[in-house]
Amino acid sequence: MITCEDDFWLIGIAWRLDRLRWVPAIALNVVVTGQGLCMWPPLDTGPPGAGSDRELAARLCEGCSVLDECLELELRVGGDATLGVWGGLAEDDRRALWPHWLRRGERARDGGAP
């Protein structure tokens, strides 16, 4: 169940992603695949199945410098059918974020023009 506090947290994330609205998806992909910590050699995320999806996301993405770019890219590509851990958020959190993110408006098309 999403609480009012969760809603405010998600709205804040959606607002933070606004700075990436006009960055083309291809540019976001280059940044995420080139600088994302999850793209480097194996990470020790602990024993399989240990902890919640939120805990896995926190461990997997801890210290990554491109969390917002990763999250923006996944929301554009995966939408409300998003799977896995992206941008430091678990699937359920990203699905709850989706409507708030959509309300923030239009995004750059793949060609880069708004």
Side-chain angles (χ1 to χ4, degrees), residues 50-58 84-85 88-93:
S52 70
D53 287 347
R54 280 183 175 173
E55 292 167 338
L56 174 61
V85 171
L89 295 181
E91 293 171 16
D92 291 343
D93 293 330

Side-chain angles (χ1 to χ4, degrees), residues 30-71:
V30 167
V31 169
V32 171
T33 57
Q35 298 176 30
L37 290 179
C38 61
M39 299 295 167
W40 295 91
L43 299 169
D44 179 16
T45 59
S52 70
D53 287 347
R54 280 183 175 173
E55 292 167 338
L56 174 61
R59 285 193 313 269
L60 187 63
C61 300
E62 182 179 16
C64 186
S65 63
V66 295
L67 289 176
D68 287 349
E69 291 83 352
C70 180
L71 183 54

Side-chain angles (χ1 to χ4, degrees), residues 90-101:
E91 293 171 16
D92 291 343
D93 293 330
R94 283 194 319 282
R95 287 187 185 123
L97 171 61
W98 173 252
H100 299 291
W101 179 82

Side-chain angles (χ1 to χ4, degrees), residues 13-36:
I13 293 171
W15 279 59
R16 191 177 73 224
L17 295 177
D18 276 354
R19 68 183 176 80
L20 300 169
R21 286 177 68 151
W22 304 117
V23 177
I26 195 160
L28 291 171
N29 188 55
V30 167
V31 169
V32 171
T33 57
Q35 298 176 30

